[in-house]
mmCIF file with all atom_site columns, all heavy atoms in Angstrom:
data_model
loop_
_atom_site.group_PDB
_atom_site.id
_atom_site.type_symbol
_atom_site.label_atom_id
_atom_site.label_alt_id
_atom_site.label_comp_id
_atom_site.label_asym_id
_atom_site.label_entity_id
_atom_site.label_seq_id
_atom_site.pdbx_PDB_ins_code
_atom_site.Cartn_x
_atom_site.Cartn_y
_atom_site.Cartn_z
_atom_site.occupancy
_atom_site.B_iso_or_equiv
_atom_site.pdbx_formal_charge
_atom_site.auth_seq_id
_atom_site.auth_comp_id
_atom_site.auth_asym_id
_atom_site.auth_atom_id
_atom_site.pdbx_PDB_model_num
ATOM   1  N N   . SER A 1 39  ? 41.345 51.416 101.684 1.00 0.00 ? 322 SER A N   1
ATOM   2  C CA  . SER A 1 39  ? 40.070 51.688 100.990 1.00 0.00 ? 322 SER A CA  1
ATOM   3  C C   . SER A 1 39  ? 39.654 53.124 101.263 1.00 0.00 ? 322 SER A C   1
ATOM   4  O O   . SER A 1 39  ? 39.724 53.585 102.410 1.00 0.00 ? 322 SER A O   1
ATOM   5  C CB  . SER A 1 39  ? 38.975 50.720 101.430 1.00 0.00 ? 322 SER A CB  1
ATOM   6  O OG  . SER A 1 39  ? 37.841 50.893 100.635 1.00 0.00 ? 322 SER A OG  1
ATOM   7  N N   . GLY A 1 40  ? 39.250 53.853 100.236 1.00 0.00 ? 323 GLY A N   1
ATOM   8  C CA  . GLY A 1 40  ? 38.815 55.210 100.412 1.00 0.00 ? 323 GLY A CA  1
ATOM   9  C C   . GLY A 1 40  ? 39.946 56.218 100.385 1.00 0.00 ? 323 GLY A C   1
ATOM   10 O O   . GLY A 1 40  ? 39.735 57.434 100.558 1.00 0.00 ? 323 GLY A O   1
ATOM   11 N N   . LYS A 1 43  ? 42.519 55.904 95.527  1.00 0.00 ? 326 LYS A N   1
ATOM   12 C CA  . LYS A 1 43  ? 43.182 55.214 94.400  1.00 0.00 ? 326 LYS A CA  1
ATOM   13 C C   . LYS A 1 43  ? 42.447 55.375 93.130  1.00 0.00 ? 326 LYS A C   1
ATOM   14 O O   . LYS A 1 43  ? 42.950 55.759 92.091  1.00 0.00 ? 326 LYS A O   1
ATOM   15 C CB  . LYS A 1 43  ? 43.419 53.750 94.800  1.00 0.00 ? 326 LYS A CB  1
ATOM   16 C CG  . LYS A 1 43  ? 44.159 53.502 96.065  1.00 0.00 ? 326 LYS A CG  1
ATOM   17 C CD  . LYS A 1 43  ? 44.424 52.026 96.320  1.00 0.00 ? 326 LYS A CD  1
ATOM   18 C CE  . LYS A 1 43  ? 43.139 51.235 96.598  1.00 0.00 ? 326 LYS A CE  1
ATOM   19 N NZ  . LYS A 1 43  ? 42.459 51.595 97.880  1.00 0.00 ? 326 LYS A NZ  1
ATOM   20 N N   . SER A 1 44  ? 41.107 54.984 93.222  1.00 0.00 ? 327 SER A N   1
ATOM   21 C CA  . SER A 1 44  ? 40.293 55.060 92.012  1.00 0.00 ? 327 SER A CA  1
ATOM   22 C C   . SER A 1 44  ? 40.210 56.495 91.497  1.00 0.00 ? 327 SER A C   1
ATOM   23 O O   . SER A 1 44  ? 40.185 56.785 90.332  1.00 0.00 ? 327 SER A O   1
ATOM   24 C CB  . SER A 1 44  ? 38.912 54.546 92.300  1.00 0.00 ? 327 SER A CB  1
ATOM   25 O OG  . SER A 1 44  ? 39.004 53.204 92.698  1.00 0.00 ? 327 SER A OG  1
ATOM   26 N N   . THR A 1 45  ? 40.174 57.435 92.471  1.00 0.00 ? 328 THR A N   1
ATOM   27 C CA  . THR A 1 45  ? 40.089 58.859 92.101  1.00 0.00 ? 328 THR A CA  1
ATOM   28 C C   . THR A 1 45  ? 41.328 59.280 91.309  1.00 0.00 ? 328 THR A C   1
ATOM   29 O O   . THR A 1 45  ? 41.240 59.934 90.285  1.00 0.00 ? 328 THR A O   1
ATOM   30 C CB  . THR A 1 45  ? 39.967 59.705 93.361  1.00 0.00 ? 328 THR A CB  1
ATOM   31 O OG1 . THR A 1 45  ? 38.896 59.199 94.157  1.00 0.00 ? 328 THR A OG1 1
ATOM   32 C CG2 . THR A 1 45  ? 39.643 61.157 93.010  1.00 0.00 ? 328 THR A CG2 1
ATOM   33 N N   . GLN A 1 89  ? 37.606 48.875 88.162  1.00 0.00 ? 372 GLN A N   1
ATOM   34 C CA  . GLN A 1 89  ? 37.306 48.082 89.403  1.00 0.00 ? 372 GLN A CA  1
ATOM   35 C C   . GLN A 1 89  ? 36.054 47.255 89.227  1.00 0.00 ? 372 GLN A C   1
ATOM   36 O O   . GLN A 1 89  ? 35.968 46.145 89.712  1.00 0.00 ? 372 GLN A O   1
ATOM   37 C CB  . GLN A 1 89  ? 37.168 49.094 90.550  1.00 0.00 ? 372 GLN A CB  1
ATOM   38 C CG  . GLN A 1 89  ? 37.138 48.397 91.913  1.00 0.00 ? 372 GLN A CG  1
ATOM   39 C CD  . GLN A 1 89  ? 37.385 49.376 93.030  1.00 0.00 ? 372 GLN A CD  1
ATOM   40 O OE1 . GLN A 1 89  ? 37.416 50.582 92.869  1.00 0.00 ? 372 GLN A OE1 1
ATOM   41 N NE2 . GLN A 1 89  ? 37.611 48.868 94.214  1.00 0.00 ? 372 GLN A NE2 1
ATOM   42 N N   . GLU A 1 174 ? 42.264 47.367 90.924  1.00 0.00 ? 457 GLU A N   1
ATOM   43 C CA  . GLU A 1 174 ? 41.919 46.188 91.748  1.00 0.00 ? 457 GLU A CA  1
ATOM   44 C C   . GLU A 1 174 ? 41.285 45.073 90.902  1.00 0.00 ? 457 GLU A C   1
ATOM   45 O O   . GLU A 1 174 ? 40.201 44.621 91.190  1.00 0.00 ? 457 GLU A O   1
ATOM   46 C CB  . GLU A 1 174 ? 40.974 46.577 92.861  1.00 0.00 ? 457 GLU A CB  1
ATOM   47 C CG  . GLU A 1 174 ? 41.600 47.628 93.727  1.00 0.00 ? 457 GLU A CG  1
ATOM   48 C CD  . GLU A 1 174 ? 40.967 47.706 95.093  1.00 0.00 ? 457 GLU A CD  1
ATOM   49 O OE1 . GLU A 1 174 ? 40.852 46.635 95.706  1.00 0.00 ? 457 GLU A OE1 1
ATOM   50 O OE2 . GLU A 1 174 ? 40.618 48.798 95.531  1.00 0.00 ? 457 GLU A OE2 1
HETATM 51 N N1  . LIG C 2 .   ? 31.594 60.004 92.529  1.00 0.00 ? 825 LIG C N1  1
HETATM 52 C C1  . LIG C 2 .   ? 32.052 60.475 93.660  1.00 0.00 ? 825 LIG C C1  1
HETATM 53 N N2  . LIG C 2 .   ? 31.515 61.597 94.155  1.00 0.00 ? 825 LIG C N2  1
HETATM 54 C C2  . LIG C 2 .   ? 31.926 62.111 95.361  1.00 0.00 ? 825 LIG C C2  1
HETATM 55 N N3  . LIG C 2 .   ? 32.875 61.546 96.114  1.00 0.00 ? 825 LIG C N3  1
HETATM 56 C C3  . LIG C 2 .   ? 33.434 60.391 95.706  1.00 0.00 ? 825 LIG C C3  1
HETATM 57 C C4  . LIG C 2 .   ? 33.039 59.826 94.436  1.00 0.00 ? 825 LIG C C4  1
HETATM 58 N N4  . LIG C 2 .   ? 33.809 58.684 94.256  1.00 0.00 ? 825 LIG C N4  1
HETATM 59 C C5  . LIG C 2 .   ? 34.593 58.581 95.334  1.00 0.00 ? 825 LIG C C5  1
HETATM 60 N N5  . LIG C 2 .   ? 34.410 59.618 96.205  1.00 0.00 ? 825 LIG C N5  1
HETATM 61 C C6  . LIG C 2 .   ? 35.077 59.849 97.443  1.00 0.00 ? 825 LIG C C6  1
HETATM 62 O O1  . LIG C 2 .   ? 36.461 59.926 97.190  1.00 0.00 ? 825 LIG C O1  1
HETATM 63 C C7  . LIG C 2 .   ? 37.219 59.237 98.176  1.00 0.00 ? 825 LIG C C7  1
HETATM 64 C C8  . LIG C 2 .   ? 38.171 58.267 97.510  1.00 0.00 ? 825 LIG C C8  1
HETATM 65 O O2  . LIG C 2 .   ? 37.415 57.278 96.836  1.00 0.00 ? 825 LIG C O2  1
HETATM 66 P P1  . LIG C 2 .   ? 38.102 56.219 95.918  1.00 0.00 ? 825 LIG C P1  1
HETATM 67 O O3  . LIG C 2 .   ? 37.014 55.504 95.171  1.00 0.00 ? 825 LIG C O3  1
HETATM 68 O O4  . LIG C 2 .   ? 39.137 56.933 95.059  1.00 0.00 ? 825 LIG C O4  1
HETATM 69 O O5  . LIG C 2 .   ? 38.799 55.266 96.934  1.00 0.00 ? 825 LIG C O5  1
HETATM 70 P P2  . LIG C 2 .   ? 39.668 53.956 96.663  1.00 0.00 ? 825 LIG C P2  1
HETATM 71 O O6  . LIG C 2 .   ? 40.984 54.200 97.192  1.00 0.00 ? 825 LIG C O6  1
HETATM 72 O O7  . LIG C 2 .   ? 39.565 53.567 95.222  1.00 0.00 ? 825 LIG C O7  1
HETATM 73 O O8  . LIG C 2 .   ? 38.905 52.899 97.561  1.00 0.00 ? 825 LIG C O8  1
HETATM 74 P P3  . LIG C 2 .   ? 38.677 51.329 97.232  1.00 0.00 ? 825 LIG C P3  1
HETATM 75 O O9  . LIG C 2 .   ? 39.927 50.644 97.625  1.00 0.00 ? 825 LIG C O9  1
HETATM 76 O O10 . LIG C 2 .   ? 37.553 50.995 98.162  1.00 0.00 ? 825 LIG C O10 1
HETATM 77 O O11 . LIG C 2 .   ? 38.339 51.189 95.805  1.00 0.00 ? 825 LIG C O11 1
HETATM 78 C C9  . LIG C 2 .   ? 36.206 58.547 99.056  1.00 0.00 ? 825 LIG C C9  1
HETATM 79 O O12 . LIG C 2 .   ? 36.173 59.202 100.310 1.00 0.00 ? 825 LIG C O12 1
HETATM 80 C C10 . LIG C 2 .   ? 34.923 58.659 98.375  1.00 0.00 ? 825 LIG C C10 1
HETATM 81 O O13 . LIG C 2 .   ? 33.871 58.959 99.281  1.00 0.00 ? 825 LIG C O13 1
#
Side-chain angles (χ1 to χ4, degrees):
Chain A
S322 187
K326 303 184 294 292
S327 300
T328 309
Q372 191 164 8
E457 303 200 50

